[in-house]
Amino acid sequence: MQVVQRRREGFSGQTLLVVPEPQQRLMAKHPLLKGLHVTHAGFFPRAAGHFVNRANGCTDHLLIACLRGTGWAEAGGRRQHLERGDVVGLQANHAHLYGASDDDPWTIAWVHFT
């Protein structure tokens, strides 16, 4: 049984881990995990051109930690500049946008969770 799948998104040196749906369903029923479990996570180094626009949000919550460079996130009509050491949380099922700056693209670690 494979618990985590690795996928490529296109950033050199990146890591993207996805917990397959069958394991997510098991975690959602587990007494210790059903209140909080990771669905996927990743690391995108110097992610030039990184941009995400989710008009309806996504089904899980998202935390993005900026490790280097700069970027931004927008939710609820409020835009936040992000730089090294900043963390932003985006709520499930709420519209949001985020992306790397053009001048100094961010390096981020991120996690989607329910």
Side-chain angles (χ1 to χ4, degrees):
M1 173 174 76
Q2 184 175 4
V3 176
V4 175
Q5 298 171 335
R6 290 181 185 262
R7 287 196 314 210
R8 304 293 291 160
E9 286 290 310
F11 302 111
S12 180
Q14 78 166 36
T15 300
L16 173 58
L17 304 171
V18 178
V19 178
E21 286 294 326
Q23 282 73 29
Q24 288 185 39
R25 286 192 296 275
L26 288 173
M27 288 188 296
K29 294 176 186 174
H30 191 281
L32 295 176
L33 301 175
K34 68 182 177 182
L36 176 67
H37 65 272
V38 171
T39 58
H40 45 299
F43 170 75
F44 291 172
R46 295 210 33 91
H50 186 220
F51 173 75
V52 175
N53 179 358
R54 294 189 180 108
N56 298 312
C58 56
T59 58
D60 10 72
H61 303 291
L62 170 61
L63 282 178
I64 301 172
C66 184
L67 306 176
R68 186 174 301 157
T70 62
W72 56 273
E74 185 176 318
R78 190 170 141 224
R79 190 174 184 120
Q80 180 179 346
H81 173 79
L82 299 168
E83 59 189 38
R84 183 181 180 170
D86 290 339
V87 176
V88 65
L90 299 169
Q91 191 174 7
N93 303 311
H94 286 77
H96 58 260
L97 305 94
Y98 56 87
S101 71
D102 292 332
D103 298 334
D104 186 17
W106 62 13
T107 293
I108 58 171
W110 53 269
V111 62
H112 281 256
F113 61 95
T114 63

